[in-house]
Amino acid sequence: MAAPVFETCHVACCANRTPNVVSWSRGGIIAFGTCNSVAFYDPQERRVVTLLNGHTGRVNAVQWVHREDCAPESHLVSGGSDNRLIVWEVQNGKVSCPCKGHAGPVCAVDAIYVKDSAILVASSASDSTVRLWLSECLHTLSFGSRFMMDVSLALLPGIRVPILACGGDNSQVHLYVQSNGQLQKALSLQGHEDWVRGVAWTSLGGELLLASCSQDCLIRVWKLCAKSGTDPRTEDDHGIIRMKEDVFEVKERDVSSEFAVSLETVLAGHENWVYGVHWQPPLYKGILQQPLSLLSASMDKTMILWAPEEGSGVWVEQVRVGEVGGNTLGFYGCQMSPDGSMIVAHAFHGALHLWCKDHDKEGEWRPGVVISGHFNAVQDLSWDPDGEFLISVGSDQTTRLFTPWRKQDETWHEISRPQIHGYDMQCLAMVGRFQFVSGADEKVLRVFQAPRTFVENFANISGTSKEKLLTCSDSANLPEGASTPALGLSNKAVFQGEILALQLCIRMFRHLGWEPPPEDHLLQNTLWPEVQKLYGHGFEMFCLASDSARMVVASACKASKVEHATILLWSTSTWRQLQTLMCHTLTVTQMAFSPNSRLLLAVSRDRTWSLWRRNLPTPEKPQFSLYAHTGKDTAVHSRIIWSCDWSPDSKYFVTSSRDKKVIFRNKLFETGVVYEQFENQRSMLLVVVRSCCESCWLCVSDFHSYLLAVGLESGRILLYRWSPGQEPAEGHDWSSCGETDISQSHSLAVKRLRWRPRTGRVGRNNNNNKKDGRPRAESEIEGESSWPQLASASADFSVKIFNINKRAL
């Protein structure tokens, strides 16, 4: 079997902002919905294992189908805004059973195994119905204008008849029993005073316990048990106060059974809506053991672990974890690891919060390192000049920085959130090792520079020399950190001794500098100070580019008229405007400087491209003049041009368009003058793809060939290769040499592709590459030169990094 061309190195993503979207398996894998996909995350390896792509709308609910013997699960159920349920076979990632029938987005799912290993699925949707499925829809419950927020399935003790609990906006918990093939209402449990947000069953000996949580900030635990006709508690005993019991009858195959439901306890401890409850999973040690421990998550930004006291049996708070302060909302749901040593919550902004039991200190929990990512479309990304870290911006109004944790397990992590803005982010460009320019849905460009705290912590996490980084960062003038005023958008630099409270936070973050920071530190302590604002555009920013010398930045904004479709050039030394370039009539969608910094390429919504040449005699004051461009009558592209790029040797450039064409233009450099027959079709090498092209990026495959990556609107990434000296294969200059499979592909449009500035698999330990007795350096160079890295940003909220195996092309 041939080696794959694409190898997934890292996936940065977060959970969708819905309550029932995270589920922890008995095998240790956390499954969560991220945009239209289901991600499998391994908290031990700290990486996304795989992605399941099948939904066409946002995934709102995810649930593993747990086995009674506590063995690792083989099936998973997910529900989405595409009104569908999907039962997945975990081993091969295939759809086992798609279920269609709901007329609205599915908001909650649960599933259990019944007779003959069949999977019984319950689902609730915004069409005010709850449905039971067994390959096909068995029963439909209609609640009129009411909505059921959560569902939970269990088997009644003794008779193993399915029982369904539904919690909804009428402040009641409804119980339904499947009796003689019919779904019948058994009881409605009253007590909550606001919407019931979550319900969860667990089995304890011959009884069932049902936990329900509500917007009234309370948790109620109900006990269900079989009722015997000779129950001694039925005798009158006026000296003992007993909880009221609600009794219902179940008939199955002419056998009648009675069950009683009573309130076990009411748990009060949260100060805001309680969104999720989760029982500690059972353990199998020869016999099945159910630890009596309940986890709850609330909008008050805390999770509480509840358990009964050994002596009295009274339920009390055992552990409370969460965030203190800040201006974020709380938790949507919670889960517990199979052995109860870790707990995780997902927050309103999609972030996962992990806590691990401290084995050295009894009863204490500490924050753990966990995956993070954007919670809206990722619009742009860029590598730093040395290729050591990656910065991305997105419509979630944040800028995020990712780098490998070299001293631990070589996995990628978010270590800084330089900008948390009030407008959707659109573009960025690196202008130095620790400096970048960003643009958002505003008329202003903002320049950021890393503070001393980041440089030191980056050195600790990445294993780089701290002294070397501080030397190249002008350490004498670096601020300690940054803060944002309560009603402001600008990150203000904070120098040593200015604000005592902030310094305490910075010192706290420094203490954690040997490992990636948790979410609360990313939000508060990792901002970069804003050093400059650039004014000049009349509308919202759209794209940015910087030259290889980091001396010039080009910017463009949204435009519907010629006077607004201009390109502004800025000096990175003075941050003054150098020049205004006018050519296009509509929005300039992307720009790219040639690697030798002599040419600037721009593509536009008006279906044309323009090429600007740098006038060389005055490098300190670069001036660009229009060298070549296409008009509407000579344009090859028939739709909007989305993307452009140069070959690393500056001899060729490429453009991609919504017309499904990628056009590669041939350029010859002789005696410093550029020659090209732009009207000659033979100088254009054409690639036609299956879907609209959203982005493209070029790199050198080897000394005699070029490698082109093309990102599609469908989420796929294609690789093409061209060797100028070889005869075209099958009449095509470019040959297809690989593409991402369905689990590697994005689920929505690819917004940006970027090759890492140098080859080698950053984030992978390459110290053991000694082969055949050859020196390590030679072996390492030979092996790593075959692995360029490609980063992609997508509208599906994710950032992915791929290792490309050139030997498999």
Side-chain angles (χ1 to χ4, degrees), residues 628-648:
H629 69 96
T630 55
K632 291 187 177 180
D633 52 342
T634 60
V636 177
H637 288 297
S638 58
R639 302 289 297 276
I640 179 175
I641 305 177
W642 278 121
S643 182
C644 63
D645 190 34
W646 288 90
S647 62

Side-chain angles (χ1 to χ4, degrees), residues 720-732:
Y720 290 89
R721 190 177 185 180
W722 176 56
S723 300
Q726 296 182 1
E727 290 294 325
E730 300 179 358
H732 299 285

Side-chain angles (χ1 to χ4, degrees), residues 143-156:
F143 292 88
S145 60
R146 298 291 186 178
F147 298 97
M148 293 297 108
M149 303 299 174
D150 198 11
V151 293
S152 183
L153 282 170
L155 296 176
L156 286 172

Side-chain angles (χ1 to χ4, degrees), residues 540-566:
E540 295 88 346
M541 300 308 306
F542 199 84
C543 62
L544 281 167
S546 62
D547 65 346
S548 59
R550 313 297 174 183
M551 295 176 57
V552 180
V553 172
S555 63
C557 69
K558 296 179 181 178
S560 57
K561 296 181 181 179
V562 177
E563 55 267 30
H564 298 135
T566 58

Side-chain angles (χ1 to χ4, degrees), residues 406-419:
R406 294 185 184 275
K407 292 192 175 183
Q408 182 66 27
D409 51 10
E410 291 291 320
T411 53
W412 284 78
H413 297 277
E414 181 184 357
I415 67 165
S416 179
R417 208 162 292 174
Q419 185 180 10

Side-chain angles (χ1 to χ4, degrees), residues 646-805:
W646 288 90
S647 62
D649 54 12
S650 302
K651 291 183 178 181
Y652 307 93
F653 68 86
V654 63
T655 59
S656 67
S657 168
R658 192 172 178 81
D659 61 6
K660 303 182 182 181
K661 295 178 183 177
V662 179
I663 297 180
F664 185 82
R665 291 173 172 83
N666 185 4
K667 305 180 63 59
L668 300 175
F669 286 75
E670 297 179 3
T671 64
V673 182
V674 180
Y675 297 98
E676 181 182 2
Q677 296 178 333
F678 289 105
E679 295 79 12
N680 189 348
Q681 286 287 347
R682 286 179 298 179
S683 67
M684 300 180 185
L685 307 176
L686 188 64
V687 175
V688 181
V689 296
R690 301 186 297 270
S691 181
C692 299
C693 304
E694 293 284 341
S695 55
C696 62
W697 211 251
L698 269 168
C699 81
V700 175
S701 175
D702 51 49
F703 188 74
H704 300 291
S705 62
Y706 297 90
L707 197 61
L708 172 67
V710 180
L712 305 183
E713 190 177 42
S714 63
R716 292 246 173 179
I717 299 175
L718 312 179
L719 281 183
Y720 290 89
R721 190 177 185 180
W722 176 56
S723 300
Q726 296 182 1
E727 290 294 325
E730 300 179 358
H732 299 285
D733 296 286
W734 287 85
S735 59
S736 176
C737 56
E739 66 177 85
T740 53
D741 60 35
I742 188 171
S743 66
Q744 294 172 322
S745 300
H746 293 281
S747 60
L748 292 177
V750 179
K751 289 291 188 179
R752 190 71 75 238
L753 294 172
R754 301 276 186 186
W755 291 103
R756 184 173 172 240
R758 59 185 186 186
T759 58
R761 289 170 286 182
V762 64
R764 179 187 176 95
N765 193 343
N766 300 305
N767 296 326
N768 299 317
N769 285 333
K770 188 173 182 180
K771 298 178 182 179
D772 304 327
R774 290 177 291 178
R776 177 179 297 177
E778 178 185 348
S779 175
E780 183 174 340
I781 293 174
E782 178 182 335
E784 289 305 302
S785 63
S786 301
W787 291 91
Q789 285 189 310
L790 176 68
S792 63
S794 172
D796 67 0
F797 313 170
S798 69
V799 173
K800 297 185 179 183
I801 300 174
F802 298 100
N803 299 324
I804 308 299
N805 186 0

Side-chain angles (χ1 to χ4, degrees), residues 580-647:
T580 301
L581 309 180
M582 296 184 65
C583 177
H584 296 284
T585 59
L586 295 174
T587 304
V588 174
T589 55
Q590 194 175 351
M591 302 170 291
F593 284 92
S594 61
N596 60 14
S597 301
R598 293 171 55 188
L599 295 166
L600 171 63
L601 174 65
V603 295
S604 170
R605 210 178 103 203
D606 62 11
R607 309 173 188 176
T608 66
W609 56 262
S610 60
L611 194 61
W612 305 82
R613 183 171 60 181
R614 190 173 192 162
N615 301 322
L616 288 180
T618 56
E620 66 281 356
K621 282 191 174 181
Q623 295 290 322
F624 287 79
S625 59
L626 184 63
Y627 179 66
H629 69 96
T630 55
K632 291 187 177 180
D633 52 342
T634 60
V636 177
H637 288 297
S638 58
R639 302 289 297 276
I640 179 175
I641 305 177
W642 278 121
S643 182
C644 63
D645 190 34
W646 288 90
S647 62

Side-chain angles (χ1 to χ4, degrees), residues 284-429:
Y284 192 80
K285 297 180 179 180
I287 59 173
L288 196 64
Q289 301 176 3
Q290 174 61 59
L292 204 54
S293 182
L294 178 66
L295 182 67
S296 61
S298 168
M299 270 291 159
D300 63 6
K301 296 190 284 190
T302 65
M303 283 197 297
I304 299 178
L305 198 58
W306 308 86
E309 287 184 327
E310 291 186 7
S312 63
V314 176
W315 286 75
V316 295
E317 174 184 319
Q318 300 284 336
V319 176
R320 181 188 291 257
V321 297
E323 296 182 15
V324 178
N327 56 1
T328 59
L329 293 175
F331 298 146
Y332 262 147
C334 55
Q335 292 283 298
M336 191 181 300
S337 66
D339 60 358
S341 63
M342 292 186 287
I343 54 178
V344 69
H346 64 288
F348 180 80
H349 283 163
L352 295 178
H353 298 252
L354 180 71
W355 281 270
C356 306
K357 186 180 294 184
D358 195 329
H359 298 288
D360 297 329
K361 298 180 181 179
E362 184 69 25
E364 291 193 13
W365 295 68
R366 56 178 175 79
V369 178
V370 72
I371 189 175
S372 63
H374 291 275
F375 59 87
N376 209 333
V378 187
Q379 300 292 346
D380 200 359
L381 52 76
S382 179
W383 292 92
D384 81 290
D386 290 347
E388 293 296 325
F389 61 83
L390 185 70
I391 298 185
S392 60
V393 295
S395 298
D396 60 355
Q397 305 181 353
T398 66
T399 302
R400 300 173 187 247
L401 188 149
F402 303 91
T403 195
W405 187 10
R406 294 185 184 275
K407 292 192 175 183
Q408 182 66 27
D409 51 10
E410 291 291 320
T411 53
W412 284 78
H413 297 277
E414 181 184 357
I415 67 165
S416 179
R417 208 162 292 174
Q419 185 180 10
I420 301 175
H421 205 33
Y423 294 95
D424 291 359
M425 304 298 300
Q426 289 294 333
C427 51
L428 88 158

